[in-house]
Amino acid sequence: MASHSDTLVVFFGATAGANGGKLGSDERELILLVWQIVDLHEKKVGKLQRRLVKPDSVDLTEQCKEETRLTAEELCKAEEPLESILQQFHQSVSAELESLGRSSYTLCVDGPLLIQQVLHPEASKKNLVLPECFYSFVDLRKEFHKCCPNAGTVKDLTLTSMLDYVCVPEVVDQEAGVREVKNMVLLLLHLLAEPYNHTFSDYEVVNYKFESGACKTEAVDSETVIRARGLPWQSSDQDIARFFKGLNIAKGGVALCLNAQGRRNGEALVRFINSEHRDMALDRHKHHMGSRYIEVYKATGEEFLKIAGGTSNEVAQFLSKENQMIIRMRGLPFTATPQDVLGFLGPDSPVTDGMEGLLFVKYPDGRPTGDAFVLFACEEYAQNALKKHKQILGKRYIELFRSTAAEVQQVLNRYMSTPLISTLPPSPAPIMSLPVMATPPFIATGSSRDCVRLRGLPYTAAIEEILEFMGEHTIDIKPHGVHMVLNQQGRPSGDAFIQMRSADRAFMVSQKCHKKMMKDRYVEVFQCSTEEMSFVLMGGTLNRSGLSPPPCKLPCLSPPAYAAFPATTAMLPNEATLYQPPLLATPRTPQPPTHSPGPTLAYYSPHPQLYMNMNMNYTAYYPSPPVSPSTMGYFAAPPGSVAAAVAGQPTPTILSPQHGALVRMQGLPYNAGVKDILSFFQGYQYVPEDYSSLVGVSDQGRSLIQSKEWLCL
């Protein structure tokens, strides 16, 4: 307003639901507005105006009926909706001011709830533009507290208690709304007179819009922060600010939370300018954003800084251009240049300052992640850019989303602060100690970096193609040292580990083969240790985000035909208690050589004390939604007594320990015969003299295990 000293307009409203101290907490509509002008210079009052507002729903709560004495029939007779009543209010006050020779006015209300918790949120939902006068107001309670600080805290003051304190008789026998306005006018005139001679100079201000920008990294008061949960995944900081319309959010005070895969998880931390606005935000718990209700909880300043703080120089420079629209691009080709991105966006959505308005997200070693943030000068340009969502750049479709300054910081911090291949971190919870079999480890773990990790393999890549990809370095691979990594569905994940003869050979491969092409994809090659390789093959997750909670609890192992190590057949005493399938493939007892002498080999022999975290699983960097645990697995072969206990049959001779691994097959055709099964395992060693026993066991177990066959290899 141009001036706040001419006139006050005492303003009162009631909703169809809760009123008083809970006004606006239940999202109910306004049904009543009452106002009256007070000339501060002449200490005179104008004509009292009362208007019924026609709501979209005339359903009144019992509390509303009791406090306002209004009925649904009366509201049905109301002809004007809120928009028309606000126009009448502005015209009526303006005309009366002109007759008094005054030029400006300020609203005076009994507490901030009517303006901040009712009018602004309802106008926002109905897409109404409020007059300028509703963005500043005088809080009568705070002004009274300045004059009478011993009357109690501002929060505990009421009209009745304030009038009693200054010994002014209260108006009682009036209709709802009129009574409250007349009492407010009496109190206001009393503060203007002796002995107070109060001057109204401090005004509450409601921000016109939320200011985005970089968050300052100084300490944040925990009494100003809330956590909003249940947000639509596509909601931006401006959408969240609109949900909290009427409350003042600190500059850059909306931090959208991301999950372990870098996607929004439906939560946000919001920082308000003071605790009063934070408390009003908490009263919006389970208010609606569209068709979704939003949960609002208290949060801490430490949580907010963890998400929104830590700006690097590059990010600070990017975000130094204020009042810009930020768009996040995801899925960019790794070879995309700034010129490619500018060309993709086109002339309809010019980027602020050209290439300086682009920020590519990279790993610590400089490799691109496929993400970028773009600045636009206005909403129109940002909308034009969003129309290109899922259009093609190169051979990839690009996703575009609205973003925030806090998300820029969060994404950059996440990628720049995590290692390329993290090692096994200490777990806060005790890891399960699972004794399996008293044999040497199936992969000798160690810190020697004599392995390489292949990432980005075509999903159809076979062992032969990987060996061809390695070229001349194939001779340096240990026997059976290629390990494919499967995802949680039992399919190739695009990753593989290769054991080399020495760390020097592994380093050379990582230098020579990195980003070498296989079919139409380039493959990344990194040097790693046997310990890291073993960790992944045992069900752990080694990605750039550290350990991620798995969608299922069973480890998914690489097929056992690709590793070879010495094995023994010693068993622990209590065999039945140790058999816990599905865990690992057991060692295969070496067969006597029939052609030429060679090394004695066995497959994946487990360790007597195999430490496994059963809550870990290998997941891709952007995994598909959670599914049921994969049925693919390789199981520890029990000795005869344990197998008999499982199958409920007498101990058969084919399950004696010397016969090695037992493989479970699931999903066989019901008409599959023994010959079909044996042809499926063509190339594997099995015991031909046990065909008859195999048929007997299979036929007896078919009805028990529903078309599941067991084959002793």
Side-chain angles (χ1 to χ4, degrees), residues 638-666:
S641 58
V642 181
V646 174
Q649 301 295 328
T651 305
T653 58
I654 67 164
L655 294 178
S656 57
Q658 66 267 23
H659 286 156
L662 190 67
V663 179
R664 177 188 182 189
M665 302 176 66
Q666 182 171 325

PDB file of all heavy atoms in Angstrom, residues 638-666:
ATOM      1  N   PRO A 638      22.809 -81.098  -0.399  1.00  0.00           N
ATOM      2  CA  PRO A 638      22.945 -81.772   0.887  1.00  0.00           C
ATOM      3  C   PRO A 638      23.409 -83.193   0.699  1.00  0.00           C
ATOM      4  O   PRO A 638      23.251 -83.766  -0.366  1.00  0.00           O
ATOM      5  CB  PRO A 638      21.525 -81.728   1.438  1.00  0.00           C
ATOM      6  CG  PRO A 638      20.673 -81.795   0.212  1.00  0.00           C
ATOM      7  CD  PRO A 638      21.422 -81.070  -0.867  1.00  0.00           C
ATOM      8  N   PRO A 639      23.947 -83.761   1.715  1.00  0.00           N
ATOM      9  CA  PRO A 639      24.213 -85.194   1.657  1.00  0.00           C
ATOM     10  C   PRO A 639      22.898 -85.954   1.672  1.00  0.00           C
ATOM     11  O   PRO A 639      21.832 -85.375   1.836  1.00  0.00           O
ATOM     12  CB  PRO A 639      25.040 -85.457   2.914  1.00  0.00           C
ATOM     13  CG  PRO A 639      24.727 -84.322   3.824  1.00  0.00           C
ATOM     14  CD  PRO A 639      24.436 -83.156   2.941  1.00  0.00           C
ATOM     15  N   GLY A 640      23.001 -87.244   1.532  1.00  0.00           N
ATOM     16  CA  GLY A 640      21.804 -88.048   1.359  1.00  0.00           C
ATOM     17  C   GLY A 640      20.780 -87.887   2.448  1.00  0.00           C
ATOM     18  O   GLY A 640      19.582 -87.807   2.189  1.00  0.00           O
ATOM     19  N   SER A 641      21.203 -87.814   3.701  1.00  0.00           N
ATOM     20  CA  SER A 641      20.244 -87.737   4.799  1.00  0.00           C
ATOM     21  C   SER A 641      19.435 -86.459   4.753  1.00  0.00           C
ATOM     22  O   SER A 641      18.240 -86.450   5.044  1.00  0.00           O
ATOM     23  CB  SER A 641      20.990 -87.834   6.138  1.00  0.00           C
ATOM     24  OG  SER A 641      21.941 -86.789   6.227  1.00  0.00           O
ATOM     25  N   VAL A 642      20.075 -85.340   4.374  1.00  0.00           N
ATOM     26  CA  VAL A 642      19.361 -84.071   4.328  1.00  0.00           C
ATOM     27  C   VAL A 642      18.383 -84.056   3.169  1.00  0.00           C
ATOM     28  O   VAL A 642      17.253 -83.604   3.286  1.00  0.00           O
ATOM     29  CB  VAL A 642      20.355 -82.903   4.216  1.00  0.00           C
ATOM     30  CG1 VAL A 642      19.626 -81.589   4.194  1.00  0.00           C
ATOM     31  CG2 VAL A 642      21.343 -82.953   5.361  1.00  0.00           C
ATOM     32  N   ALA A 643      18.836 -84.554   2.003  1.00  0.00           N
ATOM     33  CA  ALA A 643      17.951 -84.581   0.848  1.00  0.00           C
ATOM     34  C   ALA A 643      16.750 -85.461   1.105  1.00  0.00           C
ATOM     35  O   ALA A 643      15.631 -85.159   0.695  1.00  0.00           O
ATOM     36  CB  ALA A 643      18.714 -85.071  -0.376  1.00  0.00           C
ATOM     37  N   ALA A 644      16.977 -86.547   1.773  1.00  0.00           N
ATOM     38  CA  ALA A 644      15.854 -87.423   2.081  1.00  0.00           C
ATOM     39  C   ALA A 644      14.864 -86.741   3.000  1.00  0.00           C
ATOM     40  O   ALA A 644      13.650 -86.896   2.866  1.00  0.00           O
ATOM     41  CB  ALA A 644      16.380 -88.712   2.726  1.00  0.00           C
ATOM     42  N   ALA A 645      15.387 -85.962   3.959  1.00  0.00           N
ATOM     43  CA  ALA A 645      14.487 -85.231   4.859  1.00  0.00           C
ATOM     44  C   ALA A 645      13.662 -84.212   4.100  1.00  0.00           C
ATOM     45  O   ALA A 645      12.494 -83.986   4.395  1.00  0.00           O
ATOM     46  CB  ALA A 645      15.305 -84.537   5.953  1.00  0.00           C
ATOM     47  N   VAL A 646      14.272 -83.582   3.081  1.00  0.00           N
ATOM     48  CA  VAL A 646      13.542 -82.596   2.287  1.00  0.00           C
ATOM     49  C   VAL A 646      12.471 -83.256   1.438  1.00  0.00           C
ATOM     50  O   VAL A 646      11.350 -82.784   1.327  1.00  0.00           O
ATOM     51  CB  VAL A 646      14.529 -81.812   1.395  1.00  0.00           C
ATOM     52  CG1 VAL A 646      13.776 -80.893   0.462  1.00  0.00           C
ATOM     53  CG2 VAL A 646      15.504 -81.030   2.251  1.00  0.00           C
ATOM     54  N   ALA A 647      12.830 -84.370   0.805  1.00  0.00           N
ATOM     55  CA  ALA A 647      11.898 -85.025  -0.110  1.00  0.00           C
ATOM     56  C   ALA A 647      10.965 -85.998   0.588  1.00  0.00           C
ATOM     57  O   ALA A 647       9.995 -86.462   0.011  1.00  0.00           O
ATOM     58  CB  ALA A 647      12.674 -85.757  -1.198  1.00  0.00           C
ATOM     59  N   GLY A 648      11.250 -86.295   1.850  1.00  0.00           N
ATOM     60  CA  GLY A 648      10.410 -87.244   2.561  1.00  0.00           C
ATOM     61  C   GLY A 648      10.565 -88.663   2.068  1.00  0.00           C
ATOM     62  O   GLY A 648       9.635 -89.468   2.162  1.00  0.00           O
ATOM     63  N   GLN A 649      11.705 -89.005   1.517  1.00  0.00           N
ATOM     64  CA  GLN A 649      11.943 -90.314   0.938  1.00  0.00           C
ATOM     65  C   GLN A 649      13.117 -90.975   1.642  1.00  0.00           C
ATOM     66  O   GLN A 649      13.959 -90.306   2.245  1.00  0.00           O
ATOM     67  CB  GLN A 649      12.257 -90.168  -0.562  1.00  0.00           C
ATOM     68  CG  GLN A 649      11.138 -89.506  -1.346  1.00  0.00           C
ATOM     69  CD  GLN A 649       9.880 -90.330  -1.361  1.00  0.00           C
ATOM     70  OE1 GLN A 649       9.944 -91.570  -1.337  1.00  0.00           O
ATOM     71  NE2 GLN A 649       8.731 -89.686  -1.362  1.00  0.00           N
ATOM     72  N   PRO A 650      13.227 -92.315   1.539  1.00  0.00           N
ATOM     73  CA  PRO A 650      14.422 -92.986   2.045  1.00  0.00           C
ATOM     74  C   PRO A 650      15.653 -92.488   1.305  1.00  0.00           C
ATOM     75  O   PRO A 650      15.572 -92.018   0.185  1.00  0.00           O
ATOM     76  CB  PRO A 650      14.152 -94.472   1.750  1.00  0.00           C
ATOM     77  CG  PRO A 650      12.670 -94.556   1.596  1.00  0.00           C
ATOM     78  CD  PRO A 650      12.221 -93.245   1.045  1.00  0.00           C
ATOM     79  N   THR A 651      16.791 -92.627   1.978  1.00  0.00           N
ATOM     80  CA  THR A 651      18.029 -92.100   1.407  1.00  0.00           C
ATOM     81  C   THR A 651      18.375 -92.832   0.120  1.00  0.00           C
ATOM     82  O   THR A 651      18.649 -94.024   0.119  1.00  0.00           O
ATOM     83  CB  THR A 651      19.178 -92.274   2.409  1.00  0.00           C
ATOM     84  OG1 THR A 651      18.806 -91.661   3.632  1.00  0.00           O
ATOM     85  CG2 THR A 651      20.460 -91.661   1.867  1.00  0.00           C
ATOM     86  N   PRO A 652      18.360 -92.139  -1.039  1.00  0.00           N
ATOM     87  CA  PRO A 652      18.717 -92.788  -2.294  1.00  0.00           C
ATOM     88  C   PRO A 652      20.227 -92.773  -2.485  1.00  0.00           C
ATOM     89  O   PRO A 652      20.922 -91.914  -1.981  1.00  0.00           O
ATOM     90  CB  PRO A 652      18.032 -91.912  -3.351  1.00  0.00           C
ATOM     91  CG  PRO A 652      17.975 -90.562  -2.717  1.00  0.00           C
ATOM     92  CD  PRO A 652      17.879 -90.794  -1.236  1.00  0.00           C
ATOM     93  N   THR A 653      20.684 -93.665  -3.291  1.00  0.00           N
ATOM     94  CA  THR A 653      22.122 -93.778  -3.490  1.00  0.00           C
ATOM     95  C   THR A 653      22.665 -92.653  -4.348  1.00  0.00           C
ATOM     96  O   THR A 653      23.818 -92.296  -4.236  1.00  0.00           O
ATOM     97  CB  THR A 653      22.443 -95.128  -4.174  1.00  0.00           C
ATOM     98  OG1 THR A 653      21.734 -95.190  -5.412  1.00  0.00           O
ATOM     99  CG2 THR A 653      22.053 -96.276  -3.286  1.00  0.00           C
ATOM    100  N   ILE A 654      21.843 -92.074  -5.200  1.00  0.00           N
ATOM    101  CA  ILE A 654      22.391 -91.059  -6.106  1.00  0.00           C
ATOM    102  C   ILE A 654      22.742 -89.781  -5.367  1.00  0.00           C
ATOM    103  O   ILE A 654      23.412 -88.923  -5.925  1.00  0.00           O
ATOM    104  CB  ILE A 654      21.400 -90.741  -7.239  1.00  0.00           C
ATOM    105  CG1 ILE A 654      20.154 -90.060  -6.661  1.00  0.00           C
ATOM    106  CG2 ILE A 654      21.030 -91.960  -8.008  1.00  0.00           C
ATOM    107  CD1 ILE A 654      19.331 -89.383  -7.737  1.00  0.00           C
ATOM    108  N   LEU A 655      22.304 -89.588  -4.112  1.00  0.00           N
ATOM    109  CA  LEU A 655      22.583 -88.346  -3.395  1.00  0.00           C
ATOM    110  C   LEU A 655      23.753 -88.489  -2.439  1.00  0.00           C
ATOM    111  O   LEU A 655      23.881 -87.732  -1.498  1.00  0.00           O
ATOM    112  CB  LEU A 655      21.330 -87.898  -2.628  1.00  0.00           C
ATOM    113  CG  LEU A 655      20.159 -87.500  -3.514  1.00  0.00           C
ATOM    114  CD1 LEU A 655      18.966 -87.125  -2.642  1.00  0.00           C
ATOM    115  CD2 LEU A 655      20.538 -86.353  -4.419  1.00  0.00           C
ATOM    116  N   SER A 656      24.591 -89.454  -2.673  1.00  0.00           N
ATOM    117  CA  SER A 656      25.782 -89.574  -1.843  1.00  0.00           C
ATOM    118  C   SER A 656      26.707 -88.403  -2.123  1.00  0.00           C
ATOM    119  O   SER A 656      26.704 -87.845  -3.214  1.00  0.00           O
ATOM    120  CB  SER A 656      26.490 -90.897  -2.148  1.00  0.00           C
ATOM    121  OG  SER A 656      26.796 -90.963  -3.523  1.00  0.00           O
ATOM    122  N   PRO A 657      27.514 -88.014  -1.138  1.00  0.00           N
ATOM    123  CA  PRO A 657      28.313 -86.803  -1.276  1.00  0.00           C
ATOM    124  C   PRO A 657      29.228 -86.791  -2.481  1.00  0.00           C
ATOM    125  O   PRO A 657      29.494 -85.748  -3.024  1.00  0.00           O
ATOM    126  CB  PRO A 657      29.105 -86.752   0.033  1.00  0.00           C
ATOM    127  CG  PRO A 657      28.299 -87.554   1.007  1.00  0.00           C
ATOM    128  CD  PRO A 657      27.651 -88.618   0.205  1.00  0.00           C
ATOM    129  N   GLN A 658      29.698 -87.958  -2.924  1.00  0.00           N
ATOM    130  CA  GLN A 658      30.665 -87.921  -3.992  1.00  0.00           C
ATOM    131  C   GLN A 658      30.063 -87.504  -5.323  1.00  0.00           C
ATOM    132  O   GLN A 658      30.767 -87.275  -6.279  1.00  0.00           O
ATOM    133  CB  GLN A 658      31.347 -89.293  -4.146  1.00  0.00           C
ATOM    134  CG  GLN A 658      30.415 -90.416  -4.616  1.00  0.00           C
ATOM    135  CD  GLN A 658      29.824 -91.188  -3.433  1.00  0.00           C
ATOM    136  OE1 GLN A 658      29.759 -90.645  -2.342  1.00  0.00           O
ATOM    137  NE2 GLN A 658      29.423 -92.423  -3.647  1.00  0.00           N
ATOM    138  N   HIS A 659      28.744 -87.382  -5.388  1.00  0.00           N
ATOM    139  CA  HIS A 659      28.128 -87.017  -6.661  1.00  0.00           C
ATOM    140  C   HIS A 659      28.037 -85.511  -6.849  1.00  0.00           C
ATOM    141  O   HIS A 659      27.517 -85.055  -7.848  1.00  0.00           O
ATOM    142  CB  HIS A 659      26.740 -87.642  -6.765  1.00  0.00           C
ATOM    143  CG  HIS A 659      26.795 -89.115  -7.032  1.00  0.00           C
ATOM    144  ND1 HIS A 659      25.787 -89.966  -6.701  1.00  0.00           N
ATOM    145  CD2 HIS A 659      27.767 -89.883  -7.585  1.00  0.00           C
ATOM    146  CE1 HIS A 659      26.108 -91.203  -7.040  1.00  0.00           C
ATOM    147  NE2 HIS A 659      27.304 -91.167  -7.568  1.00  0.00           N
ATOM    148  N   GLY A 660      28.485 -84.695  -5.890  1.00  0.00           N
ATOM    149  CA  GLY A 660      28.632 -83.262  -6.138  1.00  0.00           C
ATOM    150  C   GLY A 660      27.342 -82.483  -6.054  1.00  0.00           C
ATOM    151  O   GLY A 660      26.563 -82.661  -5.145  1.00  0.00           O
ATOM    152  N   ALA A 661      27.109 -81.601  -7.064  1.00  0.00           N
ATOM    153  CA  ALA A 661      26.067 -80.573  -6.963  1.00  0.00           C
ATOM    154  C   ALA A 661      24.693 -81.104  -7.332  1.00  0.00           C
ATOM    155  O   ALA A 661      24.544 -81.942  -8.196  1.00  0.00           O
ATOM    156  CB  ALA A 661      26.416 -79.403  -7.872  1.00  0.00           C
ATOM    157  N   LEU A 662      23.690 -80.582  -6.662  1.00  0.00           N
ATOM    158  CA  LEU A 662      22.297 -80.905  -6.940  1.00  0.00           C
ATOM    159  C   LEU A 662      21.643 -79.656  -7.504  1.00  0.00           C
ATOM    160  O   LEU A 662      21.741 -78.583  -6.919  1.00  0.00           O
ATOM    161  CB  LEU A 662      21.601 -81.318  -5.650  1.00  0.00           C
ATOM    162  CG  LEU A 662      20.187 -81.927  -5.778  1.00  0.00           C
ATOM    163  CD1 LEU A 662      20.268 -83.270  -6.468  1.00  0.00           C
ATOM    164  CD2 LEU A 662      19.585 -82.084  -4.392  1.00  0.00           C
ATOM    165  N   VAL A 663      21.005 -79.758  -8.658  1.00  0.00           N
ATOM    166  CA  VAL A 663      20.405 -78.607  -9.328  1.00  0.00           C
ATOM    167  C   VAL A 663      18.898 -78.766  -9.353  1.00  0.00           C
ATOM    168  O   VAL A 663      18.382 -79.832  -9.681  1.00  0.00           O
ATOM    169  CB  VAL A 663      20.947 -78.460 -10.770  1.00  0.00           C
ATOM    170  CG1 VAL A 663      20.290 -77.281 -11.463  1.00  0.00           C
ATOM    171  CG2 VAL A 663      22.449 -78.280 -10.745  1.00  0.00           C
ATOM    172  N   ARG A 664      18.201 -77.688  -9.004  1.00  0.00           N
ATOM    173  CA  ARG A 664      16.732 -77.689  -9.018  1.00  0.00           C
ATOM    174  C   ARG A 664      16.248 -77.015 -10.287  1.00  0.00           C
ATOM    175  O   ARG A 664      16.715 -75.936 -10.642  1.00  0.00           O
ATOM    176  CB  ARG A 664      16.218 -76.929  -7.811  1.00  0.00           C
ATOM    177  CG  ARG A 664      14.699 -76.806  -7.752  1.00  0.00           C
ATOM    178  CD  ARG A 664      14.317 -75.867  -6.623  1.00  0.00           C
ATOM    179  NE  ARG A 664      12.890 -75.741  -6.468  1.00  0.00           N
ATOM    180  CZ  ARG A 664      12.298 -74.857  -5.684  1.00  0.00           C
ATOM    181  NH1 ARG A 664      13.042 -74.033  -4.964  1.00  0.00           N
ATOM    182  NH2 ARG A 664      10.993 -74.794  -5.593  1.00  0.00           N
ATOM    183  N   MET A 665      15.287 -77.653 -10.971  1.00  0.00           N
ATOM    184  CA  MET A 665      14.712 -77.074 -12.185  1.00  0.00           C
ATOM    185  C   MET A 665      13.236 -76.776 -11.917  1.00  0.00           C
ATOM    186  O   MET A 665      12.512 -77.626 -11.414  1.00  0.00           O
ATOM    187  CB  MET A 665      14.857 -78.025 -13.368  1.00  0.00           C
ATOM    188  CG  MET A 665      16.299 -78.418 -13.670  1.00  0.00           C
ATOM    189  SD  MET A 665      16.427 -79.617 -15.003  1.00  0.00           S
ATOM    190  CE  MET A 665      15.851 -78.637 -16.395  1.00  0.00           C
ATOM    191  N   GLN A 666      12.826 -75.587 -12.282  1.00  0.00           N
ATOM    192  CA  GLN A 666      11.441 -75.176 -12.056  1.00  0.00           C
ATOM    193  C   GLN A 666      10.861 -74.636 -13.350  1.00  0.00           C
ATOM    194  O   GLN A 666      11.522 -73.925 -14.099  1.00  0.00           O
ATOM    195  CB  GLN A 666      11.385 -74.087 -10.984  1.00  0.00           C
ATOM    196  CG  GLN A 666       9.976 -73.634 -10.646  1.00  0.00           C
ATOM    197  CD  GLN A 666       9.967 -72.724  -9.437  1.00  0.00           C
ATOM    198  OE1 GLN A 666      10.763 -72.913  -8.521  1.00  0.00           O
ATOM    199  NE2 GLN A 666       9.072 -71.762  -9.443  1.00  0.00           N
TER     200      GLN A 666
END
